[in-house]
Amino acid sequence: MDHQAIDKIQQLVHAAMIGAPGTDVPTLLVPDGYTLASLEQYQETPFRFRGAFATSSIEDYGHYVNAEDEARVFVDIDAMRAKAFFDLGNPATPGHGEHTASLRLEKTGAYEACLQANGSSFAQKELAHWIEDWHHCITGIDSNGQELTAKQLANAVRKVEIKASSERTHEEGDWNTKRSGMDALDASAGDATPDIIRFHCIPYEGLAFRTFEMRVSILTDDIKPKLKLRIIGLETAQEEMAKEFKDVLQGELDEKATLLLGSFSK
């Protein structure tokens, strides 16, 4: 009998002497290196439930969480996300935390377009096309306070013109000569210029319809004007949406779920 065969026999004897390691899940010591191997995969049913549900629907998330006996839901309002654990247990009898449900709200296409336009500079034709693409979400106000439809707003953007004027002064004295000059660029679109773009949309599925007001600034640094958009009070709107997310989620969950602000990791 060679040396390798003797080693195998000794390993089998040692494994038999040790027996089962004493875990709740059926396991055995495999002789080769004494690796701990689970037999759970060979059982008729798993030893415990494991699963990770994920969705972007607040309503479906509520249905899933409410179907469980108990849940702790951690809500990250800054990221517009929530994660529920159904088997955390407690310090005295801890659980594995292997059954979870995650909710992550996704921006709608309209809200994404609104955010992408924020802070961007457009050529006249580019902005007019953008307004026409999202005409169903857009109304406007001109510099005279008149309400504009999306079509009127796009036409006003196309009509923006730049007028240049120059002023020069020259002064000569007995001992010095002074020169000064100033170029002025003025933008106009007839009687009034586009002032505010109102973008109406649902920012996230499950949240309320909202209107974002975008200030239109005309940049005259070049011969051809550029138009820049800026959402007025964006940070305030984001705070309001975060609070709304928490309130809507709380309304979808029943008394079996404990809702906590923050995040949790094992």
Side-chain angles (χ1 to χ4, degrees):
M1 185 177 296
D2 61 19
H3 180 69
Q4 289 184 345
I6 294 174
D7 287 343
K8 291 291 185 183
I9 293 173
Q10 288 178 339
Q11 291 174 2
L12 288 170
V13 172
H14 290 161
M17 291 173 62
I18 295 173
T23 64
D24 293 332
V25 178
T27 54
L28 285 176
L29 285 174
V30 178
D32 185 12
Y34 295 99
T35 303
L36 192 65
S38 172
L39 301 181
E40 184 180 15
Q41 59 182 319
Y42 303 109
Q43 303 293 317
E44 184 176 353
T45 59
F47 181 73
R48 60 177 175 271
F49 186 85
R50 303 174 182 88
F53 174 73
T55 183
S56 60
S57 168
I58 296 178
E59 183 179 0
D60 292 337
Y61 187 76
H63 289 328
Y64 189 90
V65 173
N66 292 337
E68 299 298 322
D69 294 333
E70 184 180 1
R72 266 181 277 185
V73 184
F74 299 89
V75 183
D76 185 347
I77 57 175
D78 293 329
M80 306 296 274
R81 293 184 298 186
K83 188 168 186 178
F85 291 85
F86 306 107
D87 57 344
L88 277 182
N90 55 60
T93 56
H96 286 269
E98 294 180 329
H99 183 197
T100 64
S102 299
L103 170 66
R104 181 173 183 172
L105 296 192
E106 296 180 357
K107 300 181 183 71
T108 62
Y111 182 46
E112 193 72 63
C114 182
L115 291 178
Q116 289 176 357
N118 180 48
S120 298
S121 297
F122 296 84
Q124 288 172 262
K125 183 184 290 187
E126 291 175 338
L127 183 56
H129 287 171
W130 183 81
I131 292 171
E132 290 168 349
D133 289 342
W134 296 98
H135 68 277
H136 54 288
C137 298
I138 287 176
T139 58
I141 303 176
D142 67 17
S143 54
N144 292 329
Q146 297 296 314
E147 295 281 344
L148 301 174
T149 65
K151 184 176 181 180
Q152 291 171 330
L153 191 59
N155 289 336
V157 166
R158 286 191 173 95
K159 291 178 181 178
V160 173
E161 295 179 352
I162 293 292
K163 294 181 180 178
S165 60
S166 298
E167 182 180 342
R168 295 286 184 269
T169 60
H170 180 78
E171 178 181 344
E172 290 189 0
D174 291 334
W175 304 101
N176 57 47
T177 299
K178 294 181 181 180
R179 289 187 176 88
S180 65
M182 181 177 66
D183 292 326
L185 293 174
D186 181 51
S188 67
D191 295 333
T193 56
D195 189 37
I196 297 289
I197 292 177
R198 286 176 173 165
F199 201 98
H200 317 278
C201 67
I202 296 175
Y204 297 91
E205 292 298 333
L207 299 190
F209 194 81
R210 184 176 288 269
T211 296
F212 299 90
E213 291 197 343
M214 311 177 79
R215 175 76 64 187
V216 182
S217 301
I218 301 177
L219 307 178
T220 56
D221 297 333
D222 203 348
I223 297 302
K224 292 185 178 181
K226 290 278 190 179
L227 296 101
K228 186 173 183 178
L229 305 184
R230 181 182 65 85
I231 299 176
I232 301 172
L234 177 59
E235 292 79 7
T236 300
Q238 290 172 332
E239 291 175 359
E240 292 172 352
M241 288 187 290
K243 183 179 182 301
E244 182 187 359
F245 169 48
K246 175 181 176 293
D247 293 341
V248 171
L249 181 57
Q250 182 73 75
E252 289 289 337
L253 302 179
D254 60 25
E255 66 280 356
K256 295 182 295 184
T258 302
L259 191 145
L260 303 166
L261 292 184
S263 58
F264 176 83
S265 60
K266 297 194 300 175

